[in-house]
Amino acid sequence: MRPVLVQGLIMSTFGVALTMLFLGTFAWFMLGSFSSVMLGSDGINWVDGLLLGAIISSTDAAAVFSILKSSNLKLKGNLQPLLELESGSNDPMAVLLTTTLVNIVKTGDVSFLNLGITLIAQLAIGIIGGYGFGRLMTWIINNIKVNAQGLYPVISLGQVLLTYSVITLLQGNGFLGVYIAGVVLGNSNFTYKSTILDFHDAISWLMQIGMFLLLGLLVFPSQLITVAPIAIIIALFLMFIARPLSVIIGLAISPYNNSEKLFISWVGLRGAVPIILAISPIAVGIPDAKTLFNVVFFIVLISVSIQGFSLGPTARWLKLENKE
């Protein structure tokens, strides 16, 4: 991933912010103009639209990895590392934007100067703290002596919670800190590495099961019908306008050609993370949070259905498949 590190980080930060801006503005227009007719509400303001854009702004790493692997799709050049790096590293930015906008909507304090300062501070503290805790995790696991091998995964889980808590208390982004710490730890040599990795893989599956159980408890088909037309239009705007524009701007000075940028745009699958983030407005009691959740549900469903099943044919149509 080193050859595509700069482009990947641009897409996972600046690209996410652009997607939020484009999609949020369009969602504000759609939900503001037609919600009184179709949804029976007064609509949403621009900040609410940006919140929707932030929730849906990141691509889903699990979906991208799974589809590339299951379809045995090998891409030319550095396309695959870029897609994996972007989808695997853009979730913290989406979480940061969502939590910040949820706080703005809840308090009514709309100050974009404070928003910018807060974003920069949370990113800086999260990155520095995450790197430091990642190195500390490695040292602790290699130097602590316990009698049972099964306790090492428990120690690592405790370190994850400690990392998140301390960075959050320091006004940093705890999600980003944990992510960076995991990258540092995962690329280091430490005691019982395979055991610890298997433990966290099992935990991640358990969390996904819980996530979809929670999704089932929150989704009501009768409510989805009313938002379906608007949600489908917003989803199509995301796939064909917002995501391509963010890719074109973010990779403007990159060596990728138009076909490669088009494919990168098409691999903007949405999945688990937007579903989780869409619960945040509901949890804090934001008005129209249920409408936002239902729209996000449709966007994820359409993205996985259309983009997910067409990645292979699209790569072959653009002549980007590596057949060697």
Side-chain angles (χ1 to χ4, degrees), residues 10-11 14 32 39 42 50-51 54 66 116 138 159 200 220 222 226 315 320:
I10 289 174
M11 288 304 303
F14 183 62
L39 305 179
D42 295 330
L50 291 180
L51 175 58
S66 176
T138 305
Q159 290 175 320
H200 284 280
F220 297 91
S222 60
T226 57
L320 297 175

Side-chain angles (χ1 to χ4, degrees), residues 27-182:
W28 166 53
F29 170 75
M30 290 299 300
L31 292 173
S33 301
F34 300 103
S35 59
S36 59
V37 177
M38 304 184 68
L39 305 179
S41 65
D42 295 330
I44 64 174
N45 57 37
W46 186 51
V47 178
D48 292 331
L50 291 180
L51 175 58
L52 174 62
I55 290 172
I56 208 72
S57 60
S58 69
T59 57
D60 187 76
V64 173
F65 293 171
S66 176
I67 291 174
L68 291 178
K69 183 178 180 179
S70 61
S71 61
N72 294 318
L73 186 62
K74 298 185 181 299
L75 302 172
K76 294 181 179 179
N78 291 323
L79 272 178
Q80 189 154 333
L82 175 64
L83 294 172
E84 292 179 350
L85 175 59
E86 183 210 354
S87 62
S89 61
N90 61 10
D91 290 341
M93 185 65 176
V95 172
L96 176 58
L97 291 171
T98 300
T99 53
T100 303
L101 286 167
V102 164
N103 186 60
I104 289 176
V105 173
K106 184 179 179 181
T107 61
D109 181 16
V110 183
S111 173
F112 290 100
L113 177 60
N114 292 337
L115 173 62
I117 295 174
T118 301
L119 289 175
I120 294 173
Q122 290 198 32
L123 285 172
I125 296 172
I127 292 172
I128 296 172
Y131 178 80
F133 271 102
R135 298 300 297 265
L136 180 62
M137 286 179 181
T138 305
W139 185 87
I140 290 176
I141 293 175
N142 285 331
N143 288 275
I144 195 170
K145 304 298 180 183
V146 294
N147 295 328
Q149 178 180 340
L151 289 177
Y152 283 92
V154 179
I155 293 171
S156 69
L157 183 60
Q159 290 175 320
V160 169
L161 299 176
L162 179 65
T163 299
Y164 178 86
S165 300
V166 172
I167 292 177
T168 302
L169 286 173
L170 294 174
Q171 304 303 311
N173 185 265
F175 294 101
L176 177 60
V178 169
Y179 180 84
I180 297 296

